[in-house]
Amino acid sequence: MTWHILGAGSLGTLWAARLARAGVPVRLILRNHERLAAYQAAGGLTLIEGDQASQYAIPAELPQTKAPIQRLLLACKAYDAENAVAELAPRLAEGAELLLLQNGLGSQQAVAQRLPGRRCLFASSTEGAFRQADFQVVFAGNGHTWLGDPENPQAPLWLEELQHAGIAHQWSPDILMRLWRKLALNCAINPLTVLYGCRNGDLREHPAEVATLCAELSELLQRCGQPAAADNLHDEVLRVIVATAANYSSMHQDVAQGRRTEITYLLGYACAAAQRHDLHLPHLHHLQQRLLDHLRERGLPLN
Ligand code: NAP
């Protein structure tokens, strides 16, 4: 069975290269003729691991290609997911499976709603990769990927292919709990690193602010029916701040490089959920306002 992979960015390349070298059939879907021509000129995807760079000449096609898709890895940003899938919907076979790699929450549900009769698996990953140049990706941090389907606890048989490809993963019967937990960690750390213009570790200078946010986020998780995701949240946030002290958060990197953030699917999603539940979380709400002001001042998208 061919894996179609939409998005030859950081994670798309990381997955495509590992599947292809394990002998799994892979095809990339690139957004338009210009990107396809640039890809062909580059001669393939290059994955850099340590001091070793390897190129993979994976076949690529446009979204409008006619061939049906049985299995799709959606490796674009959360804000691109719904449109990308809408374009591909006519090609998705009945019973097709999609693996959604987007961070945060909201985009997965929007995609799944558009696709009755297809199975949408959600993923949460701690792997790290970044684009060094067009179609050249650096594998920056080993990690783990949890996969699950909120509608069906049965793991698909093809997880074996991931094993074979050396993609560290685990089937998670409660993937929503994992995604909520990661979202809460992100909300407690990333926006503050943007506002203070600092590394994760520098948040140790703002203990009261971090603690207040964790308390509000825990309340939100409880109210949203995710008590396990609230368990010892503050302790884990402090642990992550220490363990990643030298790093700049992904949101900090996006803002520093003038790129659109995934705010709508992270802090925006949390604030919208609080509002839906009539939950008054003043610090979280104020954080969102400060972050939006910060993005506005820099001319960056607010969604
Ligand atoms: P990325 O490097 O920006 O790659 C996204 C890719 O999607 C780009 O190559 C983009 O194409 C492509 N794309 C967008 N819309 C498309 C369309 N309609 N058709 C075809 N291609 C399309 O992003 P990323 O870092 O891989 O992140 C993907 C998701 O994984 C995000 O939600 C992110 O938060 C999450 N994540 C990333 C990491 C990481 O280490 N990078 C770790 C954990 C989670 P162009 O090249 O043409 O713009």
Side-chain angles (χ1 to χ4, degrees):
M1 172 91 64
T2 298
W3 283 74
H4 282 86
I5 299 188
L6 181 131
S10 310
L11 281 197
T13 297
L14 189 54
W15 280 67
R18 290 178 295 180
L19 287 167
R21 75 182 169 208
V24 175
V26 177
R27 293 186 72 82
L28 297 173
I29 301 175
L30 302 178
R31 59 166 93 230
N32 53 33
H33 286 286
E34 287 74 41
R35 296 300 288 153
L36 189 56
Y39 174 72
Q40 274 150 0
L45 292 178
T46 300
L47 182 65
I48 300 148
E49 295 164 276
D51 53 11
Q52 177 126 16
S54 310
Q55 197 180 47
Y56 302 87
I58 295 166
E61 63 189 37
L62 293 173
Q64 307 78 14
T65 306
K66 290 279 177 277
I69 296 173
Q70 286 289 348
R71 188 175 298 157
L72 176 70
L73 180 73
L74 195 65
C76 57
K77 297 280 195 182
Y79 47 74
D80 282 326
E82 211 183 335
N83 284 342
V85 157
E87 213 177 356
L88 288 180
R91 295 182 58 191
L92 291 168
E94 195 62 29
E97 291 171 301
L98 289 86
L99 181 49
L100 311 178
L101 288 185
Q102 288 63 46
N103 207 357
L105 278 163
S107 73
Q108 302 91 335
Q109 292 86 341
V111 165
Q113 256 176 20
R114 276 187 170 268
L115 300 173
R118 280 72 153 214
R119 186 177 191 195
C120 288
L121 308 175
F122 300 4
S124 176
S125 181
T126 58
E127 290 192 317
F130 64 89
R131 287 202 257 188
Q132 175 176 278
D134 233 8
F135 307 114
Q136 284 186 23
V137 166
V138 178
F139 191 0
N142 284 317
H144 202 85
T145 302
W146 284 268
L147 311 165
D149 176 353
E151 304 290 321
N152 177 355
Q154 189 77 34
L157 294 175
W158 48 258
L159 289 189
E160 275 175 20
E161 285 182 12
L162 304 189
Q163 198 69 36
H164 195 55
I167 299 174
H169 69 280
Q170 193 177 325
W171 181 250
S172 169
D174 197 357
I175 190 70
L176 284 179
M177 186 276 281
R178 290 208 168 267
L179 285 163
W180 267 109
R181 176 72 162 196
K182 192 167 179 219
L183 180 143
L185 289 164
N186 185 298
C187 289
I189 296 172
N190 296 25
L192 288 178
T193 65
V194 171
L195 294 171
Y196 290 118
C198 69
R199 294 175 199 264
N200 292 355
D202 300 327
L203 294 185
R204 284 174 288 199
E205 288 161 30
H206 305 277
E209 210 170 354
V210 171
T212 311
L213 284 175
C214 288
E216 289 194 356
L217 286 161
S218 297
E219 210 182 324
L220 176 66
L221 292 169
Q222 303 273 2
R223 185 69 75 90
C224 292
Q226 297 291 337
D231 229 20
N232 293 319
L233 178 66
H234 187 212
D235 289 345
E236 191 174 352
V237 166
L238 296 180
R239 257 200 311 278
V240 170
I241 286 173
V242 171
T244 62
N247 297 358
Y248 285 109
S249 72
S250 53
M251 194 178 267
H252 183 288
Q253 291 175 42
D254 284 342
V255 173
Q257 291 170 34
R259 293 191 304 237
R260 184 174 174 184
T261 67
E262 295 184 299
I263 179 176
T264 304
Y265 305 90
L266 297 161
L267 185 55
Y269 187 86
C271 289
Q275 203 168 17
R276 251 193 336 270
H277 287 279
D278 268 333
L279 196 58
H280 181 54
L281 301 176
H283 295 87
L284 203 64
H285 186 69
H286 184 52
L287 183 70
Q288 184 189 31
Q289 290 314 312
R290 286 158 69 201
L291 186 58
L292 289 172
D293 288 345
H294 190 92
L295 297 178
R296 198 177 290 112
E297 279 161 22
R298 278 151 191 81
L300 290 172
L302 305 183
N303 60 0

